[in-house]
Each structure stands twice: as C-alpha cells, then as structure tokens.
Amino acid sequence: MYTYGELLDDVNYLSRYGVETGAIGSSAYGRIIPYVKIGAGKHSVMVTAAIHAREHVSALFAVRQMYKLFAAPPECGVYFVPIVNPDGNVLVSEGAAAFGSDSDRLLALNGGNEDFSLWKANAAGVDLNVNFNARWGEGAQNVRTAGSENYIGAKPFSEPETVALAEFTRKIKPVLTLSYHAKGREIYYEFGQSGERLRRDRAVAEYAASLTGYRLIEGTRGSAGGYKDWCVQELKIPSLTIELVSDNFSHPLPDESIYEDFARAPLLPVQLCDFMKENGYV
Ligand SMILES: [Zn+2]
C-alpha cells in the first residue's frame, strides 16, 4: 500500500527539484498534511485523495498524476493533497501500536480487531468526509458514535484535518475540486445546485465521465457533510467525487487495482481545467 512515509519521501524529492510543496495543516496526532503544487497559471485545480484511510490507492493515483505533470508542467496550477487523513493511513499500515497509549482506545473502536485494513476514519474515529459544514448530520448513512466509518463528529469541523482542508481551499480559490475515493468507477457532482451552475457542473462531470469511462451519478445519493458537498454549497464551484477502481476488486484494495484507472486518465485535472477555460466557465 502507498503509505504516509512514502508520501513524505515523494514530497521531499519534488521539493528538491524546485516544486512548490508545503503543509495545509496537521492531523490530530500532529502529522503534517502535505501539499504539492505543479504547474502555474491564472487558474488552479484542487485534487484531494485518501480522506478515507482504506482508500490509499487513491493517494497512489494522485501521486502518479503528480509525477506525470511534473515531467511536463501544465498551464494550470494543480494542487495535490494526496493523503488528507495521515493518521488513518498510519493506522491502516501500522495498526494501533503506532498510537502508543491510545492503542487500547483504537482497538476498542475497531471492535477488538487488530486488523485496521478496512478502517476509513481518522484516529479519533471521525469519518472526515461527513464532517464538513454542508447539511452536516443529514447523510443517509451517518452515525453518531465514533468508529471506523460514517461518524459525523461532535460538530461540523470538529477535526483539524477538515478545518485545514477547508481553509486551504478558501485560500487557493480553485476553479474546480476533485476528490479521489475508491471504489466503483463513478462520478458524483450534485449537491443542490440549480440553473446555470447545475448545467456547468454537469457538463464538467460529463466530460470527466467521458475521459475516464466512469458512470455519471445523478443526485446526491444521500450524501451530506462531504468535502465535495461543502465546495458546491459554500464555494459554488464544480466539485467532483470520483470513485476510482473497478468493482471487480474488493477491499482492502491492492496497488494493482489502480493501474488501469491511471492509464485511462493520467492528466485528468489538467484536461478538466482546460475544458473549463475552453467553455468559458472561468
Ligand atoms: Zn471514500
């Protein structure tokens, strides 16, 4: 699996070649949440991955795109945050022992199971992708107790990771955000838009579907409190949740499960940025 340690190595490597790198903030356990910016131009795109810990192949997908763009920097600034949830990634890769005196609490949250390979939340047991302030608590699968998935947290933005991601997104003012998840090969874009915004966002989502061969999903399917939901509602920009990986694979997903998806769309963020320019959306 692609680990947080590998990401730190990749970020250091790119920074030695003059690429802009930094941190959007830190996790609850003090791990920095790195970003890498590749390309430059009037407009920027935000790419996030691995907000759900077990979906680490989405980080690998983002990092491969990062290197591909590093080889030929685009006329669009692409910000990558490949692991939004570093504590969750470490929990999946190293288990509860990596959290010292908190390991007993984590084991209890995981039902006594020492295998954290299916864990999605952060190390506080909050599912970060239902913790944003966008119809928070109204999601179809929301739960109100900490655990491996779907817990909304004590309040919107209760977690440092979601606060950092929202603040950084407001700062860089992207024209579009892409959130990589796994799995299912589906694209979600709706969260209550109407009129011109709905037409624009659907056009961008349809183009993404044509490039990837993924299925476009209409409606929200019970989603609330997600990063994409918050971007649509608060920033009023197109924002896609992209579920990578064929359903032929099962969790925990092996690295190989992402290879064909990457081959389909290595330049996706730039192609979508160009599409928005060509169609006069920015
Ligand atoms: Zn996910």
Side-chain angles (χ1 to χ4, degrees), residues 8 19 27 40 71 102 115 126 131 139 167 177 225-226 230 235 255 262 270:
L8 294 179
V19 172
S27 70
D102 283 350
D115 177 0
V126 176
N131 188 242
E167 286 182 352
T177 74
W230 179 81
L235 306 183
D255 287 353
F262 177 71
V270 174

Side-chain angles (χ1 to χ4, degrees), residues 1 52-56 88-95 110 113-120 148 250-253:
M1 70 171 274
H52 286 144
R54 74 178 183 182
E55 297 164 21
H56 37 80
N89 181 282
V90 170
L91 192 50
V92 167
S93 64
E94 299 177 29
N110 202 32
N113 188 351
E114 290 186 9
D115 177 0
F116 282 83
S117 63
L118 299 181
W119 186 270
K120 292 174 73 176
S148 122
S250 304
H251 288 290
L253 297 169

Side-chain angles (χ1 to χ4, degrees), residues 50-55 58 120 127 129 180-183 241-243 251:
I51 195 168
H52 286 144
R54 74 178 183 182
E55 297 164 21
S58 66
K120 292 174 73 176
D127 187 327
N129 208 38
Y180 296 156
H181 290 251
K183 61 190 180 65
T241 288
I242 303 184
E243 296 282 357
H251 288 290

Side-chain angles (χ1 to χ4, degrees), residues 74-98:
E75 289 177 28
C76 173
V78 185
Y79 288 86
F80 289 95
V81 182
I83 299 182
V84 173
N85 177 10
D87 294 342
N89 181 282
V90 170
L91 192 50
V92 167
S93 64
E94 299 177 29

